[in-house]
Amino acid sequence: ARLGGMAGAPTGPLKSDENAQTLGMVASSLFLQVIHQDRLDRLEDAPQRTALLKDLIHMLLELAHANAGQFNDSPLLGGGGRGGNANSVENAAVAADNIPVYERDFEEAFLGESQDFYRMESTSRLSHAASGAGGSTDSAADDNDLGGGGKPAAKYSAMEYVHRARSRLDEEKTRASLLDLPAQTKSALLRIVETELIERHAKTLVEMEGSGFASILKVVASSPAVGSVAVASANNRRMAPGGMESSENGVVIDRERIADLASMYDLFSRVPSSVNHLRDALSERIRLDGRSLVRDQETNVAPPAAFVKGVLDMRERFAAVVSDAMRGEKKAQKRMREAFEDFLNADARAANCLAVYVDELLRVGLRGADERKVGRELDRVIVIFRYLADKDVFEAYYKNHLAKRLLGNKSGSEEAERAMVSLLKAECGYQFTSKLEGMFNDMRISKETAEKYRAHKKGLVNA
């Protein structure tokens, strides 16, 4: 009775394959038209239409094996239906006849139409993002390039596309549940939507000028320098306008844009192979910024300590990207580590600069600092130390600076000095720090000997 209003719907009883096919095709055609309108947000009385479509799905499934008098929504293969014991030619013909009505008349057309729809929509939206074009000469493209309320889509940024794609995926998942689609159809549908909306355009979304993953990452990496007005504001209020946050170490981190990166990562993670484009962009950004710091140091634009400070700030920002935007995934951590190692180990310059930075830190930077700050600053140094391939070169420079501090009594804190050696020992073992620890012992023995001599001399005078 509910199908009686369909144009062209057969009214006779379903007693033959021909009638079943006819009804199946009519029902399928109606279904696809309604779904298309729903995707364009042009469907009125959607709940009632959805209920009708759900009934159509069930009807098609029940027609799947009407001749056999049983319900089965899985495809028949040769040998699974009539004539299963006939020769191979007969089996092939019978298998073709026994393709269920649901799959033959509906599922294939539904999935194909869904693929065409999302391919057209995604391509159209990204062409708007790339060129800002207002329309298309293709009427199908015009229909698909519509936002809510049937309004033409405006120029799209990468992040707007990401939010739209995520919304589309949620819509399809909800629609599939409301229609009670079989699991195999629902799974295939979501794979198609993910392929068309994500996989096919992943590289474009990463590289899109001004709004892609790479562009946002560049902004995050170039947050205002320490000491700037923006940082002063962030330090006063912890979170400055625009989502800028100052960390405990005074490094400005753009949390708002990191949240955008996280949205793109979450979308891409639905298609794991697409995340490689994000990792590539992360690695390339670190290498470019790192090489820029190296060039500044080579041309004496930045002194050694400033070079290391730049690397430390870089590392903290990118660590925030990996931990927060990329959910701390191991592959992203590995790519970050390899990128830092790449530019830091171009020559022995980084090892020398790090030793100079630690020397300044222990002479002046940590003077009067509490234990918590000392531990935090030294931990940051050790993170960069781990990236160095020439750790022996660092040890040689560090030993010379340590000797000057100890002999000249210029060390800001003996506790900080010993804490640094302990961290190096934990990283590289006793043999690496044995000479450094020996220097402390020599200084202790020298001090004790001097005190004994002064005591003995004082005793002689009193005698």
Side-chain angles (χ1 to χ4, degrees):
R2 302 183 73 176
L3 297 173
M6 293 183 191
T11 57
L14 299 177
K15 294 183 178 179
S16 67
D17 287 342
E18 182 178 354
N19 285 339
Q21 290 178 33
T22 302
L23 181 54
M25 287 185 290
V26 172
S28 175
S29 176
L30 175 63
F31 186 98
L32 294 179
Q33 292 176 27
V34 176
I35 288 295
H36 187 78
Q37 294 299 310
D38 190 25
R39 284 170 173 162
L40 294 176
D41 199 21
R42 296 174 176 173
L43 188 63
E44 299 179 358
D45 61 11
Q48 292 80 3
R49 296 291 185 100
T50 300
L52 176 58
L53 294 181
K54 181 176 179 180
D55 289 344
L56 288 178
I57 292 292
H58 290 167
M59 181 199 72
L60 290 171
L61 289 171
E62 290 166 1
L63 287 174
H65 292 288
N67 291 338
Q70 60 183 1
F71 168 78
N72 189 343
D73 65 347
S74 61
L76 286 179
L77 302 177
R82 296 171 296 178
N85 296 321
N87 59 45
S88 59
V89 176
E90 292 174 341
N91 280 345
V94 169
D97 288 340
N98 268 342
I99 296 176
V101 173
Y102 170 80
E103 296 178 6
R104 179 189 60 214
D105 293 337
F106 170 72
E107 185 181 54
E108 182 177 348
F110 172 61
L111 295 177
E113 194 276 340
S114 299
Q115 183 176 41
D116 291 342
F117 179 89
Y118 284 112
R119 179 170 297 181
M120 185 76 71
E121 180 180 76
S122 61
T123 301
S124 178
R125 289 185 179 279
L126 287 176
S127 68
H128 271 284
S131 64
S136 169
T137 57
D138 189 315
S139 60
D142 289 339
D143 285 343
N144 287 352
D145 190 22
L146 294 170
K151 298 179 180 179
K155 184 177 180 181
Y156 262 54
S157 69
M159 288 313 305
E160 288 171 327
Y161 179 94
V162 166
H163 295 315
R164 178 65 172 171
R166 187 170 57 189
S167 176
R168 280 301 203 186
L169 284 161
D170 291 341
E171 288 173 11
E172 288 298 334
K173 187 174 181 180
T174 299
R175 185 181 293 114
S177 297
L178 290 174
L179 295 175
D180 197 20
L181 291 177
Q184 64 181 27
T185 307
K186 182 178 180 180
S187 177
L189 172 63
L190 293 179
R191 282 199 304 271
I192 286 173
V193 179
E194 289 169 349
T195 298
E196 296 303 325
L197 296 185
I198 304 171
E199 187 173 10
R200 283 173 55 84
H201 303 292
K203 187 174 182 182
T204 300
L205 291 170
V206 170
E207 298 175 351
M208 191 177 291
E209 187 69 26
S211 65
F213 187 91
S215 293
I216 298 174
L217 193 60
K218 183 178 181 180
V219 174
V220 172
S222 58
S223 300
V226 174
S228 69
V229 174
V231 173
S233 176
N235 284 332
N236 290 335
R237 292 183 290 174
R238 298 304 297 167
M239 182 69 78
M244 294 287 188
E245 178 183 318
S246 180
S247 72
E248 288 184 324
N249 299 309
V251 179
V252 176
I253 298 175
D254 193 335
R255 293 293 177 186
E256 185 174 346
R257 287 184 172 85
I258 286 180
D260 287 340
L261 297 178
S263 294
M264 191 172 292
Y265 175 84
D266 290 342
L267 181 69
F268 278 38
S269 63
R270 293 173 180 256
V271 184
S273 61
S274 299
V275 182
N276 288 329
H277 296 292
L278 305 183
R279 300 185 192 110
D280 290 343
L282 172 72
S283 177
E284 182 64 17
R285 184 75 261 156
I286 294 173
R287 284 179 166 86
L288 288 173
D289 290 356
R291 289 165 187 163
S292 177
L293 288 174
V294 171
R295 284 194 299 272
D296 288 347
Q297 212 287 315
E298 288 174 343
T299 56
N300 295 321
V301 173
F307 166 77
V308 175
K309 185 66 171 64
V311 174
L312 289 170
D313 291 354
M314 256 186 70
R315 202 273 172 187
E316 188 158 346
R317 291 192 185 104
F318 285 114
V321 170
V322 171
S323 63
D324 298 340
M326 305 183 78
R327 311 308 184 192
E329 67 155 37
K330 299 298 183 182
K331 290 182 179 179
Q333 291 178 13
K334 182 174 183 289
R335 294 296 296 275
M336 179 177 72
R337 185 186 71 248
E338 291 171 347
F340 272 96
E341 290 172 349
D342 177 69
F343 77 83
L344 285 173
N345 293 307
D347 54 35
R349 187 184 312 274
N352 179 29
C353 290
L354 185 61
V356 171
Y357 176 80
V358 176
D359 179 56
E360 292 188 10
L361 195 65
L362 293 174
R363 280 192 296 108
V364 180
L366 295 178
R367 189 181 297 274
D370 58 27
E371 184 178 352
R372 184 168 176 268
K373 182 178 180 180
V374 169
R376 187 173 66 244
E377 291 293 336
L378 296 183
D379 285 341
R380 296 179 77 208
V381 169
I382 290 298
V383 169
I384 305 303
F385 173 76
R386 291 184 184 127
Y387 294 143
L388 298 180
D390 298 325
K391 291 180 171 59
D392 290 339
V393 175
F394 170 83
E395 189 265 346
Y397 284 120
Y398 184 85
K399 183 174 65 175
N400 290 335
H401 289 299
L402 174 61
K404 292 178 181 179
R405 291 196 301 274
L406 294 178
L407 292 174
N409 195 28
K410 295 180 179 180
S411 180
S413 167
E414 183 175 348
E415 289 75 15
E417 293 281 6
R418 292 186 177 277
M420 182 64 193
V421 173
S422 295
L423 289 172
L424 292 173
K425 184 177 181 180
E427 289 295 319
C428 301
Y430 171 77
Q431 187 172 0
F432 184 85
T433 59
S434 59
K435 292 181 180 179
L436 302 178
E437 291 178 319
M439 294 171 68
F440 284 106
N441 290 331
D442 291 344
M443 289 301 299
R444 178 181 56 79
I445 292 172
S446 175
K447 184 177 180 181
E448 291 175 352
T449 302
E451 289 177 351
K452 289 180 180 179
Y453 173 75
R454 285 194 294 270
H456 174 71
K457 187 175 181 180
K458 184 178 181 180
L460 291 177
V461 171
N462 291 335

